[in-house]
Amino acid sequence: MASVSTQPQFRYTQPPSKVLHLRNLPWECIEEELIELGKPFGKVVNTKCNVGANRNQAFIEFADINQAIAMISYYASSSEPAQVRGKTVYLQYSNRQEIVNNKTAADVAGNVLLVTIEGADARLVSIDVLHLVFSAFGFVHKITTFEKTAGFQALVQFSDAETATSAKDALDGRSIPSYLLAGHVGPCTLKITYSGHSDLSVKFQSHRSRDYTNPYLPVAQSAMEGNGQSVMGLDGKRLEAESNVLLASIENMQYAVTLDVLHMVFSAFGPIQKIAMFDKNGGLQALIQYPDIQTAIVAKEALEGHCIYDGGFCKLHLSYSRHTDLSIKVNNDRSRDYTIPNPPPPIMNTQPSISGQQQAPMNGPPPQQYNTSQYAPMNNQNFIPQSQAGWGTAPPAGPQGMQRMHNNPYIPPGTMPPQAGPGMMQYPGHIQ
């Protein structure tokens, strides 16, 4: 009878752990059988049975790592493999260091997996590569990819929890095979937990989202045309899919940042079509929509890493959004559609600002009421709005003047940047 060491394993170089992963167990193997199997080598302190799509996998945890090593070493060199009910059982070290039975949201089995791709080139892993990897375990219904503070992530939806569990158990902690990746892409490791979702919403097929159950779903324009939106350029160096919509994250918010402040900052590079602000992960974020991708590229390159206020306050971090056309349902102090010729007066949003109580302006007139003219794209070269009209908050008097962004002198034709308020950054080409 062949020994276990000649059998295929999930992980060939997995470091020792006091938790062992067992495969090819009899149907619905019980805890007592697992304890009996491990008893000759030490004390089994915990087990997890009936794992995987076929419920034929399990985990056992020893009190000491040397006991687990003894069991693996014995069966690796023995001519008689480990058996339960006369069936050969394959053993390997688990990537877990302990078995946790108290289930958190990420431990509750579901049909949707949350996948975090780790590695310097994680964002270069395409949705097609992910589909190829996960479809080896069953039919993949949908995939969406996105970026969070944890890094580049994906949601992968299977038909049922059993199939998802099988994929999770086999792939968690493993690297994507190098032959599936482009030659310049470094190692990428998969970290997998269960998601709280049960049915993903995919509105169109693109390089960021796929619905494999609906062949009639519209294809996003960015997926049909190049338009600079490919995830990886011809030189293999592009990390982001370019878009006409920018996602702005603002850190170190010592002063309030309003919708009109954002409009003043970003309209220096071209007409703004829409802005939507929202609180996320304890910070303020905003989506800024330009009419075309090139204008968004120029704004991103010029503004990335710069601070709205002097002293390093309200620092901008920019990335391209997957959105191409924002849906603004109402004009208020958190969202605005500047493409409407005569928008109704904005509805003031009573949602508290994450920056707490706003600083009172130290200089200039008191805040003015919103008016429709200040939201229209500025096409008159002689029109320069007053520095605090409509946004009403400026930092207290302090170090005067903001760094000038000479790194990008681009000024859209026929457009003059608005006059900066006290302590705010100076825009490209702005003359004092």
Side-chain angles (χ1 to χ4, degrees):
M1 187 176 295
S3 67
V4 174
S5 59
T6 64
Q7 300 299 325
Q9 302 290 312
F10 284 133
R11 307 177 183 93
Y12 292 92
T13 59
Q14 187 69 26
S17 167
K18 61 182 180 179
V19 178
L20 300 184
H21 181 199
L22 284 64
R23 298 177 291 121
N24 200 42
L25 288 162
W27 174 258
E28 293 188 348
C29 178
I30 61 176
E31 183 181 31
E32 287 74 17
E33 291 175 301
L34 298 178
I35 294 175
E36 190 67 24
L37 181 65
K39 185 183 294 184
F41 306 96
K43 182 180 180 181
V44 177
V45 296
N46 206 350
T47 64
K48 192 170 186 178
C49 307
N50 304 318
V51 175
N54 298 320
R55 302 177 65 82
N56 65 344
Q57 302 179 41
F59 295 90
I60 61 173
E61 179 182 348
F62 284 95
D64 183 81
I65 192 172
N66 291 322
Q67 298 169 352
I69 293 174
M71 185 173 184
I72 290 290
S73 300
Y74 175 83
Y75 285 114
S77 59
S78 174
S79 59
E80 294 296 327
Q83 291 187 344
V84 174
R85 301 184 204 166
K87 190 173 184 180
T88 298
V89 177
Y90 306 138
L91 298 90
Q92 65 190 63
Y93 295 115
S94 171
N95 62 346
R96 310 175 187 216
Q97 295 304 312
E98 62 178 348
I99 297 174
V100 180
N101 288 324
N102 53 323
K103 295 180 181 293
T104 63
D107 293 318
V108 177
N111 65 312
V112 178
L113 299 177
L114 173 60
V115 182
T116 302
I117 299 98
E118 297 181 345
D121 299 325
R123 289 187 293 176
L124 296 179
V125 176
S126 70
I127 199 169
D128 295 317
V129 168
L130 292 175
H131 180 259
L132 187 62
V133 169
F134 284 89
S135 61
F137 300 88
F139 178 66
V140 174
H141 285 221
K142 303 172 185 177
I143 299 179
T144 62
T145 63
F146 49 92
E147 289 189 62
K148 293 279 189 177
T149 53
F152 186 61
Q153 296 182 307
L155 290 169
V156 181
Q157 178 179 332
F158 286 100
S159 304
D160 49 62
E162 289 76 19
T163 307
T165 299
S166 177
K168 177 181 179 296
D169 292 339
L171 296 175
D172 186 24
R174 293 191 65 185
S175 295
I176 298 175
S178 58
Y179 60 82
L180 294 179
L181 303 172
H184 64 280
V185 178
C188 294
T189 303
L190 302 175
K191 298 295 183 184
I192 306 174
T193 61
Y194 295 108
S195 168
H197 297 281
S198 59
D199 188 20
L200 303 179
S201 175
V202 176
K203 297 180 179 179
F204 48 79
Q205 314 282 20
S206 74
H207 62 283
R208 301 294 297 271
S209 61
R210 296 281 173 83
D211 184 344
Y212 300 97
T213 67
N214 186 1
Y216 304 105
L217 198 66
V219 178
Q221 192 72 12
S222 61
M224 292 188 293
E225 302 175 2
N227 286 339
Q229 290 200 357
S230 58
V231 173
M232 182 174 60
L234 295 177
D235 58 358
K237 295 181 179 180
R238 183 168 299 286
L239 297 179
E240 288 188 283
E242 295 162 353
S243 169
N244 66 310
V245 178
L246 297 178
L247 172 62
S249 299
I250 305 171
E251 66 176 33
N252 197 17
M253 281 191 58
Q254 296 297 317
Y255 306 116
V257 175
T258 66
L259 186 144
D260 294 323
V261 169
L262 291 176
H263 184 269
M264 179 181 294
V265 171
F266 284 89
S267 63
F269 303 91
I272 302 295
Q273 291 186 327
K274 301 174 184 178
I275 298 179
M277 299 170 58
F278 52 94
D279 297 326
K280 192 169 187 179
N281 298 327
L284 178 65
Q285 296 187 358
L287 292 167
I288 298 96
Q289 179 177 328
Y290 285 102
D292 56 75
I293 295 173
Q294 188 57 41
T295 307
I297 293 173
V298 172
K300 180 178 182 296
E301 292 177 351
L303 293 174
E304 168 60 32
H306 283 278
C307 300
I308 296 177
Y309 295 114
D310 201 0
F313 300 128
C314 303
K315 187 174 183 179
L316 293 170
H317 290 292
L318 303 175
S319 60
Y320 296 109
S321 170
R322 61 179 292 183
H323 298 283
T324 57
D325 187 18
L326 303 180
S327 175
I328 305 296
K329 297 181 180 179
V330 62
N331 283 338
N332 57 28
D333 61 335
R334 303 281 284 185
S335 61
R336 195 71 50 79
D337 185 344
Y338 299 93
T339 64
I340 301 176
N342 296 302
I347 301 172
M348 298 306 293
N349 193 334
T350 58
Q351 180 178 352
S353 170
I354 63 167
S355 58
Q357 185 173 356
Q358 296 183 357
Q359 301 283 344
M362 300 295 291
N363 300 298
Q368 298 181 17
Q369 188 69 23
Y370 289 111
N371 60 78
T372 57
S373 62
Q374 72 186 86
Y375 306 128
M378 295 178 293
N379 294 319
N380 187 346
Q381 204 167 20
N382 297 320
F383 173 67
I384 303 178
Q386 294 301 312
S387 60
Q388 296 195 29
W391 53 275
T393 54
Q400 295 297 316
M402 192 59 191
Q403 59 265 35
R404 297 172 180 269
M405 294 182 294
H406 292 295
N407 59 319
N408 198 321
Y410 173 79
I411 290 292
T415 303
M416 287 289 288
Q419 218 170 25
M424 290 189 66
M425 69 167 77
Q426 301 299 322
Y427 302 94
H430 182 64
I431 299 175
Q432 299 225 337

